[in-house]
Amino acid sequence: MRALARRGGFRIRPPSGYDRSCARRLCSRCVVSGFAERLVWGKPNLPTKRSTLLASVCLVPLFLAGTAEARRGVTANHTPAVHAARSGGVIESIQVTGNDRIETSTVLSYMVVQPGDPFNQDELDRSLKTLYATGLFRDVTLHRAGDVLQVRLVENPIVNRIVFEGNHSAKDEDLRKVIALRPRAVFSTQITASDRQKILEVYASKARYAATVTPQIIRLAHNRVDVVFLINEAQQTLIHKISFVGNKAFSEARLAQVVSSKETAWYRFFASSDEYNPERIRYDSELLRRFYLRNGFVDFQVRNQTGELSPDRKSFYVTFTVDEGPRYRLGKVNIRSSLKHISAASLRKYIELFANQWYDGSAVQHNATDMQEILQGKGYPFAMVRPEIARNPERRVVDLLFDVSEGPRAYVERIDINGNTITQDAVIRRQIPMSEGDPYTPTERKYAKAILQDLGFFSTVSVDQTPGSAPDRTNVAINVVEKPTGEFSLGGGYSTDVGILGNIGLKQHNLLGSGVDAGISGTMAYYQRQADISVSDPYFLNRNMVAGVDLFVIENNYQTYQNYSEGRYGITLRMGYAYTNRLSQSFSYTLTDRHVDNAYSDASWYVLDQTGWSLLSQLSTTLTYDTRDNRMQPHSGYVVRLGGDFAGLGGNERYVRGKVDVGYYIPMDDLTGNHDWTLALTGGAGEIANWGGGRSDIIDNFYLGGNTLRGFLDGGAGPRSMGIPPYTWNGQSYAMHSQEDFLGGRFLYTASATLNFPMPFGADMGIRGRYFVDMGGLDGLRVSRRYTSYPQDMPRYTPVYGDTLTPRVSTGVGFAWKSPFGLINIDLGIPVLKQKHDRTQLFRFGFGQQF
């Protein structure tokens, strides 16, 4: 080209400011920019035809190449940043300027090109993009000066502080967890924009879809910035209306009870169910599917579920579009068994369903699960029961087949326990119902997870499996996440029994990771004081046996309805053993120092005879068979308890006491279509008998009333002494007791029927209602000495009322509220049948709080 230029009579002149070396080469960028001038030797302003032709032929390819090069020098967000970095030649050195915090070596390490590499436009472009991608720089420019590549940088500032302003429903620490910006980190506008969106998502999860977040950057000295997120939380975006489209079998009001999302209302100030949450809406679709499947709609589908935000962004309109399909009844119910020695006929007794009932998908699955667990417990660990259905749309009947077969064999090869930083491995291993070499089944996996969750030591529990060394070997991994197991409680409340009360307690449910439960607690009430120190080992001597000890002090002031006070100081040794998952037995030995004092002068002779000190040495046992689905709030199942006390192993009390209690819980789902309805039938009976000439203290008797018979005062039904006004006997005046004293009795029986039901508009507030009918009777005067014979017992003659087994009956309503202040229980009981002088109580009230 240089020779061609000499022959053609033109030369290349670079623009001002360019390196002179640029003029020694034919620079396409200069040509494209219009810096080439034609000069004819001797006649600079009169080009010849030959020179003009040569120049046009030579400049066309150079023009095209320069245009492509110019396009490569333009980045996505910047003007051309690679200046004069034309291809050709070798990079002798790289000069980096503008980097104050970041070392030059660090900058060079990010670049694709290095000294000694050729000037390649593609590699320079990649280096430019790599430097931008680090997020460390606000601007990057590559410039070629001869054989030197100049890298000019403008660094991003450093974040000094991150401040949130205007946030109230979300704490600063919660917002800091979701954002990526951190103090002393490099500031980036892209990261700040991403963090803004994450904060908006936090507020969306709190149903504040109208919230706004505005990042503000405050520039400081030394290239530092403060990042301030100005937050306008706005009001919660609540659900204004829930609609159902396509429902024919059930009304909108009935389906609204099924879904967990609720329309906003004034009484839901403690609930969050009226907050719009997309995850909850999807969960509601599943609830609808299960509800319809329980009621025979086998083909039911949720076609669509939408949440539409109002134009003012203050409320949501939720719509469920459903396709119910026909309703099916259950037709034939058959069993097919491929297990050896297990015939289909022998399994028919385990079928809990019957033909012609409405098809219930949940009941079918439960029946299959129960049958499978029964077979696995009978020595068929790999037995599987799969329900299969066959629809008959014309007859609207579903035929059911339980397919009983043997599933794939799998044995536990190794059990790994992960995540237990506090709890000892042995505590976890002794709980899980499997060990190395045992059969591994889905049932064992389910029970292992449930048992570990019930311990209360872990926030999350997962039971995972991986293939072992052979196809029939499985490695089981127990993954847990520890949670705090210490508990400090401080609270107060009110009870009809003891009046205003306050309590304080300190407990550790997993002492030193050993699973031992230890605690100390105290209660101070208007009519009662109590302190207790307890320690329980749920796996005593490394066996499935619970052992514990209690030290207690109790002071009861019965002056509200009794004319004496009682104090107890003692120790209890406890032990329990679970024979099966349902059958368990507990034993205890109690040694109690007791005293009855502060008897009023007008107390009856029966009370005055009890005053003083006594020592109780008692051995007790309770045998329990429990099939309830939930021990705190049972919905189905039954429980039977047989208890006995034997007093006389030392001390000066001599009696034998027996007690039986039963409870049967009937779900009302089929009648009501609602899981919150339960009928509870409970009853009990007990008797106490003396032996060996004991004291017959009335504090050991049975009492009827209060919790055992609502509508009657504690001890208000049953034997009680009559009040005797002052009188004269044999010319001498006597000031006798004018009040009644509850004496208790030898034999007690109770029965109760309670219907638990959801309160209208109360489910979201944790309110449940109940209607009850209670019945009971108590008789058998058990005192140290009788004064019921007139005139032989004068002047201590004291008749007794209420010593009869004639039933007392009461009925009423009540409700329980899990309020922010604690559990509140209120019962209104009205006596229907009562005896003369029975003491009644219309309202029974109690609440308490722990935090």
Side-chain angles (χ1 to χ4, degrees), residues 278-296:
E279 294 295 330
R280 179 182 288 153
I281 298 300
R282 285 190 285 272
Y283 173 65
D284 288 339
S285 297
E286 177 62 18
L287 292 179
L288 287 172
R289 189 190 69 83
R290 294 179 184 179
F291 170 75
Y292 272 94
L293 193 59
R294 286 200 306 268
N295 288 275

Side-chain angles (χ1 to χ4, degrees), residues 34-83:
F35 294 120
E37 293 184 2
R38 289 183 297 108
L39 290 179
V40 179
W41 294 102
K43 296 180 181 180
N45 298 321
L46 297 173
T48 65
K49 293 182 179 181
R50 181 181 178 183
S51 62
T52 303
L53 179 59
L54 289 172
S56 61
V57 171
C58 295
L59 289 177
V60 168
L62 295 176
F63 177 82
L64 296 176
T67 303
E69 185 180 0
R71 286 197 301 268
R72 287 195 299 268
V74 179
T75 61
N77 301 310
H78 299 79
T79 56
V82 185
H83 297 291

Side-chain angles (χ1 to χ4, degrees), residues 255-429:
L255 296 181
Q257 296 176 353
V258 175
V259 297
S260 61
S261 299
K262 304 297 180 184
E263 296 177 0
T264 182
W266 65 268
Y267 51 82
R268 291 199 172 98
F269 48 86
F270 286 128
S272 61
S273 57
D274 56 354
E275 299 176 2
Y276 178 78
N277 189 322
E279 294 295 330
R280 179 182 288 153
I281 298 300
R282 285 190 285 272
Y283 173 65
D284 288 339
S285 297
E286 177 62 18
L287 292 179
L288 287 172
R289 189 190 69 83
R290 294 179 184 179
F291 170 75
Y292 272 94
L293 193 59
R294 286 200 306 268
N295 288 275
F297 293 88
V298 181
D299 300 326
F300 172 82
Q301 289 183 342
V302 177
R303 295 295 184 184
N304 192 19
Q305 66 272 348
T306 60
E308 183 178 354
L309 185 63
S310 63
D312 59 3
R313 303 180 66 87
K314 292 183 179 179
S315 58
F316 266 96
Y317 294 83
V318 178
T319 303
F320 294 94
T321 304
V322 302
D323 182 4
E324 293 180 335
R327 193 178 187 185
Y328 289 82
R329 290 186 179 273
L330 189 61
K332 299 178 181 178
V333 182
N334 294 318
I335 299 178
R336 180 176 61 206
S337 175
S338 59
L339 289 178
K340 293 182 179 180
H341 311 298
I342 297 294
S343 64
S346 65
L347 296 175
R348 295 202 65 86
K349 59 184 178 183
Y350 300 122
I351 294 180
E352 303 167 359
L353 307 168
F354 54 89
N356 208 38
Q357 73 175 85
W358 290 115
Y359 179 81
D360 186 342
S362 297
V364 169
Q365 187 58 51
H366 291 160
N367 198 166
T369 301
D370 292 343
M371 194 182 303
Q372 180 172 297
E373 292 179 358
I374 291 173
L375 291 172
Q376 291 176 356
K378 288 189 173 183
Y380 298 88
F382 304 108
M384 298 186 67
V385 180
R386 300 182 182 89
E388 299 178 359
I389 63 172
R391 298 178 179 85
N392 188 332
E394 290 77 15
R395 298 175 53 208
R396 295 188 178 182
V397 169
V398 172
D399 292 332
L400 176 63
L401 172 67
F402 289 106
D403 182 21
V404 182
S405 61
E406 186 174 73
R409 294 175 176 266
Y411 298 91
V412 179
E413 182 174 14
R414 189 178 71 250
I415 298 178
D416 298 323
I417 300 176
N418 308 310
N420 53 319
T421 57
I422 300 174
T423 307
Q424 302 170 12
D425 275 17
V427 174
I428 299 176
R429 289 184 180 275

Side-chain angles (χ1 to χ4, degrees), residues 575-594:
M575 184 172 294
Y577 184 79
Y579 300 106
T580 65
N581 291 334
R582 296 179 175 180
L583 181 63
S584 62
Q585 187 171 12
S586 64
F587 300 89
S588 67
Y589 172 75
T590 302
L591 184 65
T592 309
D593 181 286
R594 311 184 301 178

